[in-house]
Amino acid sequence: EGRTAPTLVERPYERHPDNPSSETSSQTQNMNSHVEIYLHFVWATWNREDLILPDFERALWREIRHETEAQGCRLLKIGGTPNHVHILVQFVSTLRVADFIQQVKGASSLLVNNKISPDFHFKWQGAYGVFSVGHQEVPGIIDYINKQKTHHAQGTTIAAYEKTNQPYKRKVSSN
């Protein structure tokens, strides 16, 4: 009469073979969850060329906002310079970072090339930077993104927030 260990880990939000009426959606599972994930993304144009022109910057920002919201996230701030973009996003727990940024970058470059049609080929670099942000840091990151052009003009950028293709190297103590 010993009981064998179940092969399926039971979770209230997943369908269990013995309980067909159990909830099946991760969205249903999250309805009662409090999730605050803030991510600061930065990515650049190809070779950091000044490809984001004033003529279409606003349309590009609108497309990035649209793609962010279409994936269930909330765009808190967007800004940048002619060669890179910063966004602060309240992220959803059911989305992969790589999938999100691929969609945002892909759709926005398609907008520029296919609808705006400048006299050059618009392209993002393949890499990006993404940084987790604590709730209390959100206002400071919004301010930093809001003042991107000023920070770059005055040389007051925060180097860690400008990295798009360099791995983070943490110093490990020998203790």
Side-chain angles (χ1 to χ4, degrees), residues 42-53 56 60-61 80-86 105 108-109 112 120-128 164-165:
V42 59
W43 68 93
T45 57
W46 190 255
N47 293 327
R48 284 246 179 191
E49 294 177 25
D50 290 347
L51 301 179
I52 303 171
L53 304 180
F56 63 79
L60 181 61
W61 287 182
T81 69
N83 67 20
H84 72 281
V85 177
H86 289 258
K105 288 169 65 178
S108 59
S109 64
V112 175
F120 57 88
H121 182 70
F122 184 89
K123 185 176 178 181
W124 299 116
Q125 71 178 20
Y128 61 92
T164 59
N165 62 351

Short mmCIF file of all heavy atoms in Angstrom, two decimals, residues 42-53 56 60-61 80-86 105 108-109 112 120-128 164-165:
data_model
loop_
_atom_site.label_atom_id
_atom_site.label_comp_id
_atom_site.label_asym_id
_atom_site.label_seq_id
_atom_site.Cartn_x
_atom_site.Cartn_y
_atom_site.Cartn_z
N VAL A 42 18.48 48.94 -24.00
CA VAL A 42 19.20 49.87 -24.86
C VAL A 42 19.73 49.09 -26.06
O VAL A 42 20.20 47.97 -25.91
CB VAL A 42 20.32 50.63 -24.12
CG1 VAL A 42 21.34 49.67 -23.55
CG2 VAL A 42 21.00 51.66 -25.02
N TRP A 43 19.57 49.65 -27.25
CA TRP A 43 20.14 49.04 -28.45
C TRP A 43 20.48 50.14 -29.44
O TRP A 43 19.97 51.25 -29.36
CB TRP A 43 19.23 47.98 -29.05
CG TRP A 43 17.95 48.44 -29.65
CD1 TRP A 43 17.74 48.77 -30.96
CD2 TRP A 43 16.69 48.63 -28.99
NE1 TRP A 43 16.43 49.13 -31.15
CE2 TRP A 43 15.77 49.06 -29.96
CE3 TRP A 43 16.25 48.47 -27.68
CZ2 TRP A 43 14.44 49.33 -29.66
CZ3 TRP A 43 14.94 48.74 -27.37
CH2 TRP A 43 14.05 49.17 -28.36
N ALA A 44 21.37 49.81 -30.35
CA ALA A 44 21.92 50.81 -31.25
C ALA A 44 21.62 50.49 -32.71
O ALA A 44 21.30 49.36 -33.07
CB ALA A 44 23.43 50.90 -31.05
N THR A 45 21.78 51.50 -33.52
CA THR A 45 21.71 51.32 -34.96
C THR A 45 22.96 50.58 -35.42
O THR A 45 23.95 50.47 -34.69
CB THR A 45 21.64 52.68 -35.66
OG1 THR A 45 22.78 53.45 -35.29
CG2 THR A 45 20.36 53.43 -35.31
N TRP A 46 22.91 50.09 -36.65
CA TRP A 46 24.03 49.35 -37.22
C TRP A 46 25.28 50.24 -37.22
O TRP A 46 25.23 51.38 -37.67
CB TRP A 46 23.68 48.92 -38.63
CG TRP A 46 24.66 47.97 -39.20
CD1 TRP A 46 25.61 48.24 -40.14
CD2 TRP A 46 24.81 46.59 -38.85
NE1 TRP A 46 26.35 47.11 -40.40
CE2 TRP A 46 25.87 46.08 -39.62
CE3 TRP A 46 24.16 45.75 -37.96
CZ2 TRP A 46 26.29 44.76 -39.53
CZ3 TRP A 46 24.58 44.44 -37.87
CH2 TRP A 46 25.63 43.96 -38.64
N ASN A 47 26.36 49.73 -36.66
CA ASN A 47 27.64 50.45 -36.55
C ASN A 47 27.52 51.78 -35.81
O ASN A 47 28.34 52.68 -36.00
CB ASN A 47 28.28 50.67 -37.92
CG ASN A 47 28.72 49.39 -38.56
OD1 ASN A 47 29.13 48.45 -37.87
ND2 ASN A 47 28.63 49.32 -39.87
N ARG A 48 26.47 51.93 -35.03
CA ARG A 48 26.20 53.17 -34.28
C ARG A 48 26.18 54.39 -35.20
O ARG A 48 26.58 55.48 -34.83
CB ARG A 48 27.21 53.36 -33.14
CG ARG A 48 26.94 52.47 -31.96
CD ARG A 48 26.55 53.29 -30.77
NE ARG A 48 26.28 52.38 -29.64
CZ ARG A 48 25.73 52.78 -28.53
NH1 ARG A 48 25.42 54.04 -28.35
NH2 ARG A 48 25.49 51.93 -27.57
N GLU A 49 25.69 54.18 -36.41
CA GLU A 49 25.54 55.29 -37.34
C GLU A 49 24.32 56.12 -36.95
O GLU A 49 23.35 55.59 -36.40
CB GLU A 49 25.38 54.76 -38.77
CG GLU A 49 26.62 54.07 -39.29
CD GLU A 49 26.41 53.47 -40.67
OE1 GLU A 49 25.55 53.98 -41.42
OE2 GLU A 49 27.11 52.50 -40.99
N ASP A 50 24.34 57.40 -37.26
CA ASP A 50 23.22 58.29 -36.94
C ASP A 50 22.09 58.08 -37.95
O ASP A 50 21.92 58.86 -38.90
CB ASP A 50 23.68 59.75 -36.94
CG ASP A 50 24.58 60.07 -35.76
OD1 ASP A 50 24.65 59.26 -34.82
OD2 ASP A 50 25.22 61.14 -35.79
N LEU A 51 21.32 57.02 -37.74
CA LEU A 51 20.26 56.66 -38.68
C LEU A 51 18.87 57.08 -38.22
O LEU A 51 17.93 57.06 -39.01
CB LEU A 51 20.27 55.14 -38.90
CG LEU A 51 21.55 54.52 -39.46
CD1 LEU A 51 21.39 53.01 -39.60
CD2 LEU A 51 21.92 55.16 -40.79
N ILE A 52 18.71 57.41 -36.95
CA ILE A 52 17.40 57.82 -36.44
C ILE A 52 17.28 59.33 -36.68
O ILE A 52 17.83 60.15 -35.94
CB ILE A 52 17.23 57.49 -34.95
CG1 ILE A 52 17.44 55.98 -34.71
CG2 ILE A 52 15.85 57.93 -34.46
CD1 ILE A 52 17.52 55.59 -33.25
N LEU A 53 16.56 59.67 -37.74
CA LEU A 53 16.45 61.06 -38.16
C LEU A 53 15.27 61.74 -37.49
O LEU A 53 14.25 61.11 -37.20
CB LEU A 53 16.29 61.13 -39.68
CG LEU A 53 17.38 60.45 -40.51
CD1 LEU A 53 17.08 60.60 -42.00
CD2 LEU A 53 18.75 61.01 -40.16
N PHE A 56 11.61 61.11 -38.71
CA PHE A 56 10.78 59.93 -38.40
C PHE A 56 10.97 59.40 -36.98
O PHE A 56 10.42 58.35 -36.65
CB PHE A 56 11.00 58.81 -39.43
CG PHE A 56 12.39 58.24 -39.51
CD1 PHE A 56 12.85 57.33 -38.57
CD2 PHE A 56 13.23 58.61 -40.54
CE1 PHE A 56 14.12 56.79 -38.67
CE2 PHE A 56 14.50 58.07 -40.65
CZ PHE A 56 14.95 57.15 -39.70
N LEU A 60 8.95 56.24 -35.24
CA LEU A 60 9.70 55.09 -34.75
C LEU A 60 9.37 54.82 -33.30
O LEU A 60 9.13 53.67 -32.90
CB LEU A 60 11.20 55.34 -34.94
CG LEU A 60 12.15 54.22 -34.50
CD1 LEU A 60 11.90 52.94 -35.28
CD2 LEU A 60 13.60 54.69 -34.66
N TRP A 61 9.31 55.86 -32.48
CA TRP A 61 8.95 55.69 -31.06
C TRP A 61 7.52 55.13 -30.94
O TRP A 61 7.28 54.27 -30.10
CB TRP A 61 9.04 57.02 -30.32
CG TRP A 61 10.36 57.63 -30.00
CD1 TRP A 61 10.53 58.81 -29.30
CD2 TRP A 61 11.70 57.18 -30.30
NE1 TRP A 61 11.88 59.10 -29.18
CE2 TRP A 61 12.61 58.12 -29.78
CE3 TRP A 61 12.20 56.08 -30.99
CZ2 TRP A 61 13.99 57.98 -29.90
CZ3 TRP A 61 13.59 55.95 -31.12
CH2 TRP A 61 14.46 56.87 -30.57
N GLY A 80 16.26 58.53 -26.79
CA GLY A 80 17.50 58.12 -27.40
C GLY A 80 18.18 59.24 -28.13
O GLY A 80 17.88 60.41 -27.93
N THR A 81 19.09 58.85 -28.98
CA THR A 81 19.86 59.77 -29.80
C THR A 81 19.75 59.29 -31.24
O THR A 81 19.12 58.26 -31.49
CB THR A 81 21.34 59.78 -29.34
OG1 THR A 81 21.93 58.53 -29.67
CG2 THR A 81 21.48 60.07 -27.85
N PRO A 82 20.39 59.95 -32.17
CA PRO A 82 20.32 59.47 -33.55
C PRO A 82 20.91 58.08 -33.78
O PRO A 82 20.67 57.48 -34.82
CB PRO A 82 21.12 60.53 -34.33
CG PRO A 82 20.95 61.77 -33.51
CD PRO A 82 20.98 61.30 -32.09
N ASN A 83 21.66 57.53 -32.80
CA ASN A 83 22.26 56.21 -33.03
C ASN A 83 21.88 55.13 -32.02
O ASN A 83 22.41 54.03 -32.10
CB ASN A 83 23.78 56.32 -33.14
CG ASN A 83 24.45 56.74 -31.85
OD1 ASN A 83 23.89 56.60 -30.77
ND2 ASN A 83 25.65 57.24 -31.96
N HIS A 84 21.00 55.41 -31.08
CA HIS A 84 20.55 54.35 -30.17
C HIS A 84 19.27 54.74 -29.45
O HIS A 84 18.88 55.90 -29.43
CB HIS A 84 21.65 53.96 -29.18
CG HIS A 84 21.93 54.97 -28.12
ND1 HIS A 84 22.69 56.09 -28.33
CD2 HIS A 84 21.55 55.01 -26.83
CE1 HIS A 84 22.77 56.79 -27.21
NE2 HIS A 84 22.08 56.16 -26.28
N VAL A 85 18.64 53.72 -28.87
CA VAL A 85 17.34 53.86 -28.20
C VAL A 85 17.43 53.29 -26.79
O VAL A 85 18.07 52.27 -26.57
CB VAL A 85 16.25 53.08 -28.97
CG1 VAL A 85 14.91 53.15 -28.27
CG2 VAL A 85 16.13 53.56 -30.39
N HIS A 86 16.74 53.95 -25.87
CA HIS A 86 16.53 53.42 -24.52
C HIS A 86 15.03 53.30 -24.30
O HIS A 86 14.28 54.21 -24.67
CB HIS A 86 17.04 54.40 -23.45
CG HIS A 86 18.52 54.52 -23.38
ND1 HIS A 86 19.25 53.89 -22.41
CD2 HIS A 86 19.40 55.22 -24.14
CE1 HIS A 86 20.53 54.20 -22.56
NE2 HIS A 86 20.64 55.00 -23.62
N LYS A 105 12.53 45.21 -32.21
CA LYS A 105 13.53 45.67 -33.18
C LYS A 105 13.12 45.33 -34.61
O LYS A 105 13.27 46.16 -35.52
CB LYS A 105 14.90 45.06 -32.85
CG LYS A 105 15.52 45.66 -31.59
CD LYS A 105 16.73 44.90 -31.10
CE LYS A 105 17.88 44.94 -32.05
NZ LYS A 105 19.07 44.23 -31.53
N SER A 108 10.11 47.57 -35.78
CA SER A 108 10.48 48.98 -35.94
C SER A 108 11.38 49.20 -37.15
O SER A 108 11.25 50.21 -37.85
CB SER A 108 11.12 49.52 -34.65
OG SER A 108 12.28 48.80 -34.30
N SER A 109 12.28 48.26 -37.43
CA SER A 109 13.12 48.43 -38.62
C SER A 109 12.29 48.23 -39.89
O SER A 109 12.50 48.92 -40.90
CB SER A 109 14.33 47.50 -38.61
OG SER A 109 13.94 46.16 -38.65
N VAL A 112 10.52 51.53 -40.63
CA VAL A 112 11.39 52.54 -41.25
C VAL A 112 11.66 52.19 -42.70
O VAL A 112 11.51 53.03 -43.60
CB VAL A 112 12.71 52.71 -40.47
CG1 VAL A 112 13.65 53.65 -41.20
CG2 VAL A 112 12.44 53.22 -39.06
N PHE A 120 18.23 55.39 -47.39
CA PHE A 120 19.27 54.48 -46.92
C PHE A 120 18.58 53.29 -46.27
O PHE A 120 17.39 53.33 -45.96
CB PHE A 120 20.21 55.17 -45.92
CG PHE A 120 19.49 55.75 -44.71
CD1 PHE A 120 19.25 54.98 -43.58
CD2 PHE A 120 19.06 57.07 -44.71
CE1 PHE A 120 18.58 55.50 -42.48
CE2 PHE A 120 18.40 57.61 -43.61
CZ PHE A 120 18.17 56.82 -42.50
N HIS A 121 19.34 52.21 -46.08
CA HIS A 121 18.79 51.02 -45.42
C HIS A 121 18.95 51.18 -43.91
O HIS A 121 20.05 51.39 -43.42
CB HIS A 121 19.51 49.76 -45.89
CG HIS A 121 18.96 48.51 -45.27
ND1 HIS A 121 17.71 48.03 -45.58
CD2 HIS A 121 19.47 47.68 -44.34
CE1 HIS A 121 17.48 46.94 -44.87
NE2 HIS A 121 18.53 46.71 -44.11
N PHE A 122 17.84 51.11 -43.20
CA PHE A 122 17.85 51.23 -41.74
C PHE A 122 18.02 49.85 -41.13
O PHE A 122 17.34 48.90 -41.52
CB PHE A 122 16.54 51.84 -41.25
CG PHE A 122 16.51 52.10 -39.78
CD1 PHE A 122 16.96 53.30 -39.26
CD2 PHE A 122 16.03 51.13 -38.91
CE1 PHE A 122 16.93 53.54 -37.90
CE2 PHE A 122 16.01 51.35 -37.55
CZ PHE A 122 16.46 52.56 -37.03
N LYS A 123 18.92 49.74 -40.16
CA LYS A 123 19.16 48.45 -39.53
C LYS A 123 19.64 48.66 -38.09
O LYS A 123 20.43 49.57 -37.82
CB LYS A 123 20.24 47.71 -40.34
CG LYS A 123 20.53 46.31 -39.89
CD LYS A 123 21.54 45.65 -40.83
CE LYS A 123 21.88 44.25 -40.38
NZ LYS A 123 22.87 43.60 -41.25
N TRP A 124 19.15 47.82 -37.20
CA TRP A 124 19.64 47.79 -35.82
C TRP A 124 20.83 46.85 -35.73
O TRP A 124 20.90 45.87 -36.47
CB TRP A 124 18.57 47.29 -34.85
CG TRP A 124 17.32 48.09 -34.77
CD1 TRP A 124 16.07 47.68 -35.11
CD2 TRP A 124 17.17 49.42 -34.27
NE1 TRP A 124 15.15 48.67 -34.88
CE2 TRP A 124 15.81 49.76 -34.35
CE3 TRP A 124 18.06 50.37 -33.77
CZ2 TRP A 124 15.31 51.00 -33.96
CZ3 TRP A 124 17.56 51.60 -33.37
CH2 TRP A 124 16.21 51.90 -33.46
N GLN A 125 21.72 47.10 -34.78
CA GLN A 125 22.77 46.11 -34.51
C GLN A 125 22.11 44.89 -33.89
O GLN A 125 21.00 44.97 -33.35
CB GLN A 125 23.85 46.67 -33.61
CG GLN A 125 23.44 46.88 -32.16
CD GLN A 125 24.59 47.40 -31.30
OE1 GLN A 125 25.56 47.95 -31.79
NE2 GLN A 125 24.46 47.23 -30.01
N GLY A 126 22.77 43.76 -33.94
CA GLY A 126 22.18 42.53 -33.42
C GLY A 126 22.11 42.48 -31.91
O GLY A 126 21.21 41.88 -31.34
N ALA A 127 23.02 43.13 -31.25
CA ALA A 127 23.09 43.05 -29.78
C ALA A 127 22.17 44.08 -29.12
O ALA A 127 21.65 44.98 -29.77
CB ALA A 127 24.53 43.28 -29.33
N TYR A 128 22.00 43.92 -27.84
CA TYR A 128 21.24 44.87 -27.03
C TYR A 128 21.71 44.74 -25.59
O TYR A 128 22.35 43.77 -25.21
CB TYR A 128 19.73 44.63 -27.13
CG TYR A 128 19.29 43.26 -26.65
CD1 TYR A 128 18.91 43.05 -25.33
CD2 TYR A 128 19.28 42.17 -27.52
CE1 TYR A 128 18.52 41.79 -24.89
CE2 TYR A 128 18.89 40.92 -27.09
CZ TYR A 128 18.50 40.73 -25.77
OH TYR A 128 18.12 39.50 -25.34
N THR A 164 25.65 47.91 -25.05
CA THR A 164 24.72 47.11 -25.84
C THR A 164 25.31 45.78 -26.29
O THR A 164 24.58 44.90 -26.67
CB THR A 164 24.28 47.88 -27.10
OG1 THR A 164 25.44 48.19 -27.87
CG2 THR A 164 23.53 49.13 -26.74
N ASN A 165 26.61 45.65 -26.26
CA ASN A 165 27.18 44.41 -26.78
C ASN A 165 28.42 43.95 -26.03
O ASN A 165 29.23 43.24 -26.55
CB ASN A 165 27.51 44.56 -28.27
CG ASN A 165 28.54 45.63 -28.53
OD1 ASN A 165 28.89 46.39 -27.64
ND2 ASN A 165 29.01 45.70 -29.76
#
